[in-house]
Amino acid sequence: MDSYSTFQQEFDLSMEALCRRILERHQATIRVRKAETAVANLARIIETTLVLSNRNGFHPMSLRDLSEQSGLSMGALYSYFDSKDTLLLMILGQVVDAIGLVLTAPDVAAGDPLARLRALMARHVYLTEAMGPWFVFAFMEAKAFGKQGRAMAVESELWTEALLRDVIADGINTGRFRPVDPTMAAALIKPMLQDWYVKRAKYRKRGVEPDAFVAVLVDMVGNMLLA
Amino acid sequence: MDSYSTFQQEFDLSMEALCRRILERHQATIRVRKAETAVANLARIIETTLVLSNRNGFHPMSLRDLSEQSGLSMGALYSYFDSKDTLLLMILGQVVDAIGLVLTAPDVAAGDPLARLRALMARHVYLTEAMGPWFVFAFMEAKAFGKQGRAMAVESELWTEALLRDVIADGINTGRFRPVDPTMAAALIKPMLQDWYVKRAKYRKRGVEPDAFVAVLVDMVGNMLLA
DNA sequence: ATATAAAACGAGCGCTCGCTCTTTTTTGAA
DNA sequence: TTCAAAAAAGAGCGAGCGCTCGTTTTATAT
């Protein structure tokens, strides 16, 4: 029931849906008026950007490469963003947007601490499974956007960590968890969650599916924390 | 006794020592003959490269930036490497070199499984503490070197993971650890170790020192694995 | 069928990049 | 003090970058 397939039904994180959100947030700079056309081409642009950037990095990707691979001309590209940096910001912004959408959705805050922790971790794994290339991009390229990008990344990191920390603190206060330092425990759980998308290829090669990963994670974290 | 300060006495990972190793490995391309001069300037070059690259990325760093910040002319720089890619390779290669040096050193393989696991994790934390910017650089820029760099990174990742996996498997076979999947356990421990250098600023801000981090890690992993 | 607006096109602009090469400075043995 | 070798210097080169803009193609309404 609380599996990846039900997650996919609950949240629409398809390329089309994500690009529709991007169009909304960047109406001011996108010069194409017909939403249908704009979303379709944004999808082509961003899909290609994620592939090329996750191969060699965003900076090495030239806009001529992007033009060639996406099938849109240089001029057409610049109908959708006013600078290469804006393209980067579109993707980063949508990642932050999706994190907020998924991790603050209701029902995460119900049940006993371990169940809530499980739900939070599962959501994180499922979210990054659905938007793998987006998260890899954000993780690797946040610093390329200078102070603003770095600050955005740090803020998002600390925010997710705080969600974990609060659940752990609750577990300790109700006596279900050992009296560990909740901040440190959260700080150590976060990188395990991130590993799912940063090293996705490794898990794929070993045949580990999202739900199997969540199961192992819950087992390990449970033993780490339970009194 | 088994602390960061004793580690520092055991392994010389000073900038000078590391650059001397780089000079040895790249004698063929480095045109400066006097070792003393070469090591001193390599140190300036690499120190500056790490600072500039970890700020905005290796590709965005121009060699004119590097020249200006390091105080060496364009011509002088090209006495130490024959291309920007070679400079990247020098740093990546020295990271791999140091991993091999530190993690295969004797005495890691003695004692009971948890002690050996502790020793391995401590060494990893201390190594990445001593060479923080090097590891951040390698982590972020490995893909910028195409297939060769990616392969190097994956190989190094799996090699370290295998060390963890073998100790965990031993622990399970001798009945000291719970019967978990050793590969998955190792796969989850690795990102916690990497977090120490990837998010170093966060831990610094919270006043967490290397030995404190190791202590928390051992506590958590111990509860994760002990029968 | 025609007019008009929307969208896509792609050669070309100015500029900065990685890299080279001649010249100048520094070094150290005689 | 001299002078040849070693090292550093930095202007200059062609290539390729991000980005623009006059033109052409496509879509839509009359």
Side-chain angles (χ1 to χ4, degrees), chain A residues 42 51 56 98 103 131 164 174 201 205 209 213 217 225:
Chain A
L42 269 176
V51 169
N56 293 318
L103 295 188
M131 292 179 65
L164 293 167
T174 58
K205 194 170 293 177
E209 298 295 314
F213 186 75
L217 214 49
L225 294 178

Side-chain angles (χ1 to χ4, degrees), chain B:
Chain B
M1 192 206 274
D2 203 15
S3 68
Y4 184 45
S5 58
T6 61
F7 172 86
Q8 285 177 300
Q9 287 166 9
E10 190 176 354
F11 298 99
D12 185 2
L13 298 173
S14 65
M15 180 59 75
E16 199 203 324
L18 296 170
C19 288
R20 210 173 305 121
R21 279 289 295 142
I22 290 177
L23 177 59
E24 285 172 29
R25 277 190 293 109
H26 290 84
Q27 269 183 331
T29 48
I30 296 175
R31 291 209 309 272
V32 173
R33 306 314 322 164
K34 225 172 72 176
E36 197 185 331
T37 308
V39 169
N41 282 338
L42 270 175
R44 283 207 284 170
I45 291 169
I46 285 168
E47 182 95 60
T48 309
T49 300
L50 291 174
V51 169
L52 296 182
S53 292
N54 290 344
R55 187 178 301 156
N56 293 317
F58 180 72
H59 208 89
M61 176 195 77
S62 78
L63 291 177
R64 283 172 183 79
D65 291 340
L66 179 57
S67 167
E68 214 170 308
Q69 293 295 313
S70 69
L72 284 142
S73 68
M74 291 292 289
L77 291 180
Y78 273 83
S79 304
Y80 295 90
F81 49 77
D82 55 8
S83 79
K84 199 185 175 190
D85 275 352
T86 298
L87 172 59
L88 193 150
L89 196 69
M90 281 177 173
I91 300 175
L92 254 49
Q94 189 52 37
V95 169
V96 172
D97 188 275
I99 293 173
L101 176 76
V102 170
L103 295 188
T104 62
D107 108 13
V108 162
D112 78 300
L114 189 58
R116 285 167 58 202
L117 195 56
R118 198 213 102 90
L120 203 51
M121 294 193 299
R123 284 244 170 119
H124 196 288
V125 171
Y126 298 156
L127 167 62
T128 58
E129 172 70 7
M131 293 179 62
W134 298 70
F135 275 81
V136 172
F137 182 91
F139 189 85
M140 301 306 277
E141 310 292 348
K143 73 154 173 271
F145 205 68
K147 286 189 177 178
Q148 191 180 341
R150 229 185 309 265
M152 200 187 277
V154 168
E155 191 193 2
S156 179
E157 161 89 13
L158 292 180
W159 183 79
T160 312
E161 206 184 285
L163 291 178
L164 292 167
R165 193 230 305 136
D166 291 347
V167 177
I168 294 168
D170 260 22
I172 295 168
N173 288 337
T174 58
R176 308 291 255 283
F177 291 167
R178 300 161 50 222
V180 297
D181 177 351
T183 302
M184 278 303 286
L188 289 179
I189 292 172
K190 188 81 206 299
M192 294 194 281
L193 292 170
Q194 288 182 316
D195 212 49
W196 179 249
Y197 61 90
V198 174
K199 316 265 178 61
R200 188 64 181 90
K202 187 176 75 180
Y203 293 108
R204 188 173 292 115
K205 194 171 292 175
R206 292 174 180 170
V208 181
E209 298 295 315
D211 284 304
F213 186 74
V214 170
V216 173
L217 214 48
V218 170
D219 174 62
M220 295 292 182
V221 170
N223 274 276
M224 244 174 69
L225 294 178
L226 284 173

Side-chain angles (χ1 to χ4, degrees), chain A residues 31-34 41 64 72-73 75-76 80:
Chain A
R31 291 209 308 272
V32 174
R33 305 314 321 163
K34 224 171 70 176
N41 282 338
R64 282 169 185 81
L72 284 139
S73 68
Y80 294 90

Side-chain angles (χ1 to χ4, degrees), chain A:
Chain A
M1 190 208 271
D2 202 14
S3 68
Y4 183 46
S5 58
T6 60
F7 172 86
Q8 285 177 300
Q9 286 166 11
E10 189 176 356
F11 298 98
D12 184 2
L13 298 174
S14 65
M15 181 59 75
E16 198 203 325
L18 296 170
C19 287
R20 210 174 305 120
R21 280 289 296 140
I22 290 177
L23 177 59
E24 285 173 27
R25 277 190 293 109
H26 290 85
Q27 269 184 330
T29 49
I30 295 175
R31 291 209 308 272
V32 174
R33 305 314 321 163
K34 224 171 70 176
E36 196 185 331
T37 307
V39 168
N41 282 338
L42 269 176
R44 283 207 285 170
I45 291 168
I46 285 166
E47 181 95 60
T48 309
T49 300
L50 290 175
V51 169
L52 296 182
S53 292
N54 290 343
R55 188 178 301 157
N56 293 318
F58 181 73
H59 206 89
M61 177 195 77
S62 79
L63 291 177
R64 282 169 185 81
D65 291 341
L66 179 58
S67 166
E68 215 169 307
Q69 293 294 314
S70 69
L72 284 139
S73 68
M74 290 292 291
L77 291 181
Y78 273 83
S79 302
Y80 294 90
F81 48 78
D82 54 10
S83 78
K84 200 185 173 189
D85 275 353
T86 299
L87 172 58
L88 192 150
L89 196 69
M90 282 177 172
I91 300 175
L92 252 49
Q94 189 51 36
V95 169
V96 172
D97 188 276
I99 293 174
L101 177 76
V102 170
L103 295 188
T104 63
D107 109 12
V108 163
D112 78 300
L114 188 59
R116 286 167 59 203
L117 194 56
R118 198 213 100 90
L120 202 52
M121 294 193 299
R123 284 241 170 120
H124 196 286
V125 170
Y126 298 155
L127 166 62
T128 58
E129 172 70 8
M131 292 179 65
W134 299 70
F135 276 81
V136 172
F137 182 91
F139 189 83
M140 301 306 276
E141 311 291 349
K143 72 153 172 268
F145 205 68
K147 285 190 179 179
Q148 191 180 341
R150 229 186 309 265
M152 200 186 276
V154 168
E155 190 193 1
S156 179
E157 159 89 13
L158 292 180
W159 183 79
T160 313
E161 205 184 286
L163 291 178
L164 293 167
R165 193 231 306 136
D166 291 347
V167 177
I168 294 168
D170 261 22
I172 295 169
N173 288 336
T174 58
R176 307 291 255 284
F177 290 168
R178 300 161 50 222
V180 298
D181 177 352
T183 303
M184 278 302 287
L188 289 179
I189 292 172
K190 188 81 206 301
M192 293 193 282
L193 293 170
Q194 288 182 315
D195 211 50
W196 179 249
Y197 62 89
V198 174
K199 316 265 178 61
R200 187 63 181 89
K202 186 176 75 180
Y203 293 107
R204 188 173 292 117
K205 194 170 293 177
R206 292 173 180 169
V208 181
E209 298 295 314
D211 283 305
F213 186 75
V214 170
V216 173
L217 214 49
V218 170
D219 174 61
M220 294 292 182
V221 171
N223 274 276
M224 243 173 69
L225 294 178
L226 284 172

